[in-house]
Amino acid sequence: MEGNQKCLKQEGMKMREGGNTEERFYTRRDMMRLAGTGLASLLLTSCRQATPAPTATQETSAPPSSAPAPSPTVPGVAIQTSPTVVPTTQATLTAVEFFGFNPDNYDGRLMPSETLQQMVEAAKAKRPPKNGDRYVFGFANLARDINFCLLVEQSIKKNTDLAGIELIIADNQASGPVALQVADSFIQRNVDFVIEFQTDVNFGPQIWQKFKNADIPVVAIDIPLGDAVFFGANNPYAGFLAGAYLAQAAIALWGQDRMKDVYAVVGELPQSGVVPKMRTDGEKAGILAVLKDLPKEQLLTIDTKNVREVSYTEMANLLGRIPAGAPILVTAINDGSTIGMLQAVKAAGRYNDLLAVGMNADELDTMMAEERMIGSVGFFPERYGNYLIPLALMMLAGYSVPPGVLIQHPMVTPANICEFYPQYQCTKRKPDFVFTFPEQEYRLFVEQLRKDPNLKDYQALLK
């Protein structure tokens, strides 16, 4: 993982804990003494010092809209037409009764402090805190040196501060074994709720079973975790949107006649399992929905490992298989991987042959600086906490919630970025075209996913 450093090589480290953001310093001697204990894994939260969030993702950004989508034919942007998840269980209390928060149809705005505190009191009446008068939540972040993850963390922290909830933050370091240690430490700390963000699908069942045995409710971000409530991307749609937009842009830039020469490269992340795979499969399906005659040998993949440097190296190695002068289309599991691939093409002197579309829209400075990065699918990580904390409190209050809560994804482009992030100026950039979302082809793709036996437990995430 980018920037990964071993804790014990540092002279000391801090543990951030609590609504007062209390920090306590631990020396190397302390770490050696605590080795093997639950507390030691909590200290991983400071192994890699987080960098300040860029202005691209301030709270001023527009939320993912929950209103009915407009026509899917709009200049340079696509809005999901039916992204919500239908609960598979009968709700004992309707979602709209929980202080205005409905997980099936929420616009992502930050709740007022008063409302969040009312949610807390309702939750306490059903499930009192284990540690006195105040709830203690654990957040196991995927990796605190990844911008997307840092933005998610900051959003959760903002919401817990407003709600008066103590928050313990730990760093999974994109490692299954570390995530397992962090789970043990949360259980030892006797937390009331866990928000889990970990990438290794092989460790998910063990982590889930530990929390289940300890009777700790869990929401899992982006990667499924046993029977925990899932929150995150509508992966099939987000991927399909990226692929279709990229392919239509290629036609607009180079013309239909050149499409027979196109090579498309998708940066995957196999280690995260079948649900994120729906995103990269969606990218391939979206490309093929537009470039229907693209030969299969011209649709290539790499394993990004979710690391920009790995994406760069793998793409650089792959370029030898792509003829000189051929148009190159690039997209990936996230912005960081897409940018690594873009940089490899640029370093090889083939930048003018390239078009790239990112995923997550959390590297907006780079998108605006790179002429050939024409857009990124919006995820709004700076607003994840606006969903996650009300959702957690709703669960603690005894409400039935959907098995999967999915965000909505617009395409963020230089032409419309100011609509989502006002600190940026909207800028027209070639290719200038009107994008049409291939709705029929998308529905066929979703139906194919529904028939996949590997996805039988994730039907609620197929929308």
Side-chain angles (χ1 to χ4, degrees):
M1 183 56 56
E2 298 171 276
N4 189 22
Q5 300 179 13
K6 294 185 181 297
C7 293
L8 294 180
K9 289 184 178 179
Q10 297 182 349
E11 287 301 318
M13 48 192 309
K14 295 178 181 178
M15 181 171 72
R16 288 181 55 210
E17 185 173 339
N20 295 325
T21 320
E22 177 183 350
E23 292 189 334
R24 180 177 173 188
F25 192 75
Y26 288 81
T27 67
R28 291 184 64 188
R29 180 175 297 178
D30 292 329
M31 284 300 296
M32 296 302 293
R33 175 172 54 81
L34 292 167
T37 70
L39 181 58
S41 58
L42 276 181
L43 301 179
L44 295 171
T45 186
S46 296
C47 286
R48 292 164 288 175
Q49 293 300 314
T51 55
T55 57
T57 48
Q58 294 174 349
E59 188 66 26
T60 54
S61 62
S65 172
S66 60
S71 166
T73 305
V74 292
V77 64
I79 303 295
Q80 184 175 350
T81 55
S82 55
T84 55
V85 180
V86 179
T88 58
T89 58
Q90 180 67 35
T92 56
L93 296 171
T94 60
V96 293
E97 292 176 359
F98 195 66
F99 303 97
F101 176 74
N102 181 347
D104 277 334
N105 189 26
Y106 188 61
D107 62 10
R109 286 176 293 180
L110 181 68
M111 286 277 188
S113 177
E114 180 181 357
T115 303
L116 288 168
Q117 291 174 20
Q118 289 173 339
M119 291 179 172
V120 167
E121 293 305 314
K124 286 181 178 180
K126 179 70 175 181
R127 186 166 178 145
K130 302 175 184 177
N131 304 276
D133 295 332
R134 193 180 187 193
Y135 276 132
V136 178
F137 284 13
F139 174 48
N141 204 345
L142 173 65
R144 297 187 72 237
D145 59 0
I146 295 177
N147 190 51
F148 184 93
C149 302
L150 178 59
L151 293 167
V152 172
E153 177 182 310
Q154 292 170 339
S155 179
I156 292 172
K157 183 68 169 61
K158 178 182 290 187
N159 278 266
T160 53
D161 283 351
L162 290 173
I165 296 168
E166 180 179 353
L167 181 66
I168 301 173
I169 301 171
D171 189 348
N172 283 335
Q173 299 185 58
S175 164
V178 173
L180 202 61
Q181 292 175 355
V182 168
D184 285 334
S185 67
F186 283 163
I187 293 169
Q188 185 180 32
R189 181 62 175 80
N190 201 27
V191 300
D192 296 289
F193 198 94
V194 168
I195 300 170
E196 182 68 49
F197 196 4
Q198 77 91 29
T199 188
D200 195 328
V201 69
N202 294 316
F203 284 82
Q206 300 176 63
I207 294 170
W208 162 247
Q209 194 61 49
K210 283 178 178 289
F211 289 138
K212 183 178 179 182
N213 292 343
D215 191 28
I216 298 174
V218 183
V219 168
I221 299 177
D222 279 346
I223 314 295
L225 191 79
D227 294 330
V229 173
F230 174 95
F231 172 83
N234 184 334
N235 283 293
Y237 180 85
F240 197 94
L241 172 59
Y245 190 87
L246 182 59
Q248 290 186 29
I251 294 173
L253 182 63
W254 288 303
Q256 186 68 54
D257 290 345
R258 292 290 313 280
M259 293 303 97
K260 65 181 183 300
D261 302 321
V262 159
Y263 279 74
V265 186
V266 174
E268 299 180 320
L269 186 62
Q271 72 188 52
S272 289
V274 296
V275 170
K277 183 176 183 291
M278 291 192 289
R279 185 186 309 176
T280 50
D281 283 352
E283 289 170 333
K284 290 182 279 188
I287 292 168
L288 293 173
V290 177
L291 305 181
K292 299 180 186 298
D293 297 325
L294 184 69
K296 62 180 181 180
E297 62 269 17
Q298 291 173 219
L299 180 56
L300 308 174
T301 63
I302 62 170
D303 182 358
T304 68
K305 305 294 185 187
N306 200 24
V307 179
R308 186 174 304 191
E309 290 81 3
V310 173
S311 304
Y312 179 99
T313 301
E314 292 296 315
M315 186 69 197
N317 293 338
L318 188 67
L319 283 173
R321 296 170 53 184
I322 300 177
I328 302 170
L329 308 184
V330 163
T331 189
I333 189 72
N334 56 29
D335 268 1
S337 297
T338 302
I339 291 166
M341 297 163 72
L342 176 151
Q343 289 171 340
V345 177
K346 191 174 185 179
R350 303 181 66 173
Y351 194 61
N352 290 335
D353 297 333
L354 174 72
L355 281 181
V357 167
M359 185 71 63
N360 295 343
D362 65 324
E363 297 278 358
L364 297 177
D365 285 345
T366 301
M367 184 184 79
M368 296 303 289
E370 294 286 356
E371 181 181 356
R372 292 294 174 145
M373 188 171 177
I374 58 172
S376 184
V377 178
F379 277 54
F380 306 96
E382 71 278 7
R383 290 180 174 262
Y384 270 33
N386 302 359
Y387 295 86
L388 286 164
I389 299 308
L391 179 63
L393 293 169
M394 185 177 181
M395 293 168 63
L396 290 171
Y399 284 70
S400 179
V401 301
V405 178
L406 307 184
I407 62 174
Q408 299 190 40
H409 303 283
M411 177 64 71
V412 180
T413 72
N416 69 11
I417 188 171
C418 59
E419 299 172 19
F420 303 102
Y421 297 97
Q423 63 269 35
Y424 287 92
Q425 182 177 354
C426 287
T427 305
K428 285 191 175 183
R429 180 182 295 177
K430 292 183 179 180
D432 187 11
F433 69 105
V434 175
F435 173 71
T436 302
F437 185 76
E439 184 68 34
Q440 182 176 356
E441 289 84 353
Y442 175 67
R443 292 300 164 196
L444 290 174
F445 170 59
V446 172
E447 288 308 309
Q448 291 172 356
L449 293 178
R450 290 191 182 281
K451 297 174 184 178
D452 186 341
N454 295 317
L455 298 174
K456 61 183 177 62
D457 295 330
Y458 304 112
Q459 295 296 301
L461 306 183
L462 298 173
K463 296 294 174 180

